[in-house]
């Protein structure tokens, strides 16, 4: 009989977010962890660099933190095994001989490269492969293994053999870069994964592999929360990249395989909106494992203002870091559209401008080009999020990719009507109480904002209905209780039912190649992915996509 009073232990894995970076996922993780103090949390945080600074102070029940910088560290164990005696590190490197690499590591690399040929078929075999790589790296040195001549030779020969007869012919520089990527992106696999009651991956990405390892090695239950869809967002990110087609395909195949492994190993996949389920199902997640848990906010903190400052210009407020996925350029163009009908309108964007400085510079140039310098302001960080929305009359979101954005439901709770692009779960929050427009649609975005600013009756109705929906459907207690039940269920501490599984039909149509980013369209034309699917290669064998259980 389970001890219902025992504190569950949770391994939470993050990537580019909590606790070292800001953003919506960081907000979500901080709220969940602080809201569930009756558990012990072990964090594994994958970061982009070694410049580590806590964005959020950690509560006392976060008992350990392992940081895994993917880039910038000459000696990765300085971070991934920071509490390990130096002598142990030296011994690990000493035992990593050329013979060991040839006999133990090279076969694992060759298996991985073979699996990358058909990432859409990844299943328990590939999950066990990741576990085998982890076992190897716990005993042997990651850096020495990748720097070995035997590893380079095997990687080069395998890649050249796989691309023989294709139009995709990698250069020497391509091969070197691809191996460097493999070195960096497999760093999360080198960590000695703590043993916990359950694991919770905040995305189906490289950080989530630790949960997959725990699942295969110890049978640890794994939960995956999809805020956005990791593979889809990599498609978007790579569409504007300057790397060769070979490198783009290599990285996307690696991401596809990693996502599949996370989904295969997951006992429960909990998207933050039902929209994400269509991607999850296409990635092989059975419907009975999908249990949506919407983001929640404190609707006693996010409340409408008591009054509006006299004489304030009609103001559109946005809360977003300035980088391409937020598509601030479309918001700037929308400003020019709104201004045609509301001449004194003022757009204010609160959020970091340093995340992608070249993109910020591009946005600033567009402000000048369109002549809206007196109507568009980058206001930087706002230290009182609950008051941020009071600075405007309406809220705008122009993103081309989202999960279920906190900013939208926070604005609704503050009685601010929302005009937002139809991405992620936005429509699930806004439809019927605000205005939803197509992504990159600056004309309908600008017109929708003008409509609300000029039609007081419609404005008041959206403000009231939005607040009511936020309170009813997206409260903090509701979200925390769903996560509490989920954790205690998979830790074996309660027989209470889980949040309901996905039952209603889910739209199956993914964007066609014509609607997708340039890279996806290019891959479709090259036959690497199927039209309108998330696959990176058509199935080429009769392998079962997802075996029933791990060994």
């Amino acid at each position: 009989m389970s001890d219902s009073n025992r504190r569950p232990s949770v391994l939470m894995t993050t990537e580019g977010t909590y606790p070292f970076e800001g953003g919506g996922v960081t907000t979500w993780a901080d709220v969940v962890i602080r809201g569930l103090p009756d558990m012990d949390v072990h964090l594994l945080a994958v970061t982009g660099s070694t410049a580590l600074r806590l964005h959020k102070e950690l509560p006392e029940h976060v008992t350990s933190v392992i940081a895994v910088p993917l880039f910038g560290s000459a000696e990765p164990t300085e971070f991934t095994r920071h509490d390990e005696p130096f002598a142990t590190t030296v011994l690990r490197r000493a035992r990593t001989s050329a013979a060991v690499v040839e006999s133990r590591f090279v076969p694992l690399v060759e298996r991985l490269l073979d699996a990358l040929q058909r990432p859409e078929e990844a299943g328990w075999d590939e999950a066990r492969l990741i576990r085998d790589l982890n076992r190897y790296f716990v005993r042997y040195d990651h850096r020495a293994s990748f720097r070995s001549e035997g590893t380079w030779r095997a990687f080069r020969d395998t890649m050249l053999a796989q691309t023989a007869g294709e139009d995709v012919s990698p250069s020497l520089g391509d091969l070197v870069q691809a191996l460097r990527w493999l070195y960096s992106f497999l760093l999360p696999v080198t960590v000695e994964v703590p043993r916990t009651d359950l694991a919770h991956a905040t995305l189906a990405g490289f950080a989530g592999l630790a949960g997959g390892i725990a699942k295969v090695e110890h049978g640890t239950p794994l939960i995956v929360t999809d805020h956005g869809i990791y593979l889809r967002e990599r498609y978007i990110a790579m569409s504007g990249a300057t790397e060769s087609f070979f490198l783009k395909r290599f990285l996307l195949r690696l991401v596809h395989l990693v996502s599949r492994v996370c989904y295969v190993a997951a006992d429960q996949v909990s998207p933050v909106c039902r929209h994400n389920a269509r991607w999850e199902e296409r990635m092989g997640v059975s419907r009975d494992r999908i249990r949506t848990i919407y983001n929640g906010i404190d609707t006693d903190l996010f409340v409408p203002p008591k009054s509006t400052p006299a004489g304030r210009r009609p103001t559109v407020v946005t809360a977003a870091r300035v980088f391409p996925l937020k598509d601030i350029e479309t918001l700037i163009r929308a400003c020019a559209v709104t201004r045609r009908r509301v001449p004194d309108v003022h757009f204010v964007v609160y959020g970091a401008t340093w995340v992608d400085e070249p993109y910020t510079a591009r946005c600033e140039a567009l402000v000048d080009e369109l002549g809206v310098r007196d109507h568009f302001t980058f206001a930087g960080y706002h230290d009182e999020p609950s008051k941020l929305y009071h600075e405007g009359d309406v809220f705008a979101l122009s993103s081309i990719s989202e999960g279920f954005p906190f900013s939208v439901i926070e604005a609704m709770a503050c009685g601010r009507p929302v005009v937002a692009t139809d991405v992620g779960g936005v429509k699930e929050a806004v439809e019927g109480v605000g205005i939803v427009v197509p992504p990159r649609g600056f004309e309908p975005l600008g017109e929708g904002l003008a409509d609300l600013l000029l039609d007081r009756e419609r404005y008041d109705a959206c403000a009231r209905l939005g607040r009511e929906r936020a309170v009813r459907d997206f409260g903090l207690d509701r979200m925390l209780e769903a996560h509490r039940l989920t954790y205690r269920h998979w830790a074996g501490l309660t027989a209470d039912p889980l949040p309901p599984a996905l039952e209603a039909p889910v739209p199956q149509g993914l964007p066609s190649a014509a609607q997708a980013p340039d890279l996806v369209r290019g891959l479709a034309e090259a036959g690497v992915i199927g039209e309108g699917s998330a696959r990176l290669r058509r199935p080429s064998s009769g392998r079962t996509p997802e075996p029933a259980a791990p060994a």
Side-chain angles (χ1 to χ4, degrees), residues 96-98 100-110 113 136-137 141-159 175 179-180 182-183 186:
T96 310
S97 64
V100 164
V101 172
E102 287 280 1
S103 64
R104 301 193 180 192
F105 183 59
V106 167
L108 295 174
V109 172
E110 291 173 338
L113 297 179
Y136 174 86
F137 287 131
D141 187 69
H142 167 265
R143 186 165 177 263
S145 298
F146 270 98
R147 290 168 65 91
S148 165
E149 182 180 346
T151 300
W152 162 249
R153 187 170 56 248
F155 182 84
R156 177 199 62 198
D157 293 349
T158 302
M159 289 286 92
L175 293 171
L179 186 58
R180 284 175 175 165
L182 205 59
Y183 169 92
L186 286 185

Side-chain angles (χ1 to χ4, degrees), residues 298-322:
D298 184 348
T299 56
D300 291 328
L301 177 64
F302 290 91
V303 296
K306 294 179 180 178
S307 62
T308 298
R312 186 176 71 187
R313 296 163 62 183
T315 302
V316 176
V317 68
T318 293
R321 292 185 292 172
V322 181

Side-chain angles (χ1 to χ4, degrees), residues 129-200:
L129 169 59
I130 298 299
R131 185 273 315 272
D132 292 345
L133 280 163
N134 176 255
R135 285 180 174 177
Y136 174 86
F137 287 131
V138 167
R139 179 165 175 77
Y140 300 105
D141 187 69
H142 167 265
R143 186 165 177 263
S145 298
F146 270 98
R147 290 168 65 91
S148 165
E149 182 180 346
T151 300
W152 162 249
R153 187 170 56 248
F155 182 84
R156 177 199 62 198
D157 293 349
T158 302
M159 289 286 92
L160 292 176
Q162 288 181 357
T163 56
E166 294 184 356
D167 293 335
V168 182
S169 181
S171 67
L172 177 61
D174 286 341
L175 293 171
V176 170
Q177 182 60 53
L179 186 58
R180 284 175 175 165
W181 277 347
L182 205 59
Y183 169 92
S184 295
F185 289 121
L186 286 185
L187 277 168
V189 179
T190 68
V191 171
E192 194 159 0
V193 179
R195 188 151 188 184
T196 55
D197 291 317
L198 65 145
H200 189 172

Side-chain angles (χ1 to χ4, degrees), residues 356-379:
D356 187 332
E357 292 181 346
Y359 181 75
T360 299
R362 210 162 80 205
C363 290
E364 293 277 15
L366 183 61
V367 168
D368 291 328
E369 178 187 332
L370 296 179
V372 293
R373 176 58 64 185
D374 292 336
H375 301 269
F376 200 100
T377 301
F378 292 99

Side-chain angles (χ1 to χ4, degrees), residues 11 42-44 64 66 191-196 198 210 214 218 220:
L11 170 65
H42 301 263
L43 279 178
L44 188 151
S64 67
I66 302 173
V191 171
E192 194 159 0
V193 179
R195 188 151 188 184
T196 55
L198 65 145
H218 306 300
T220 304

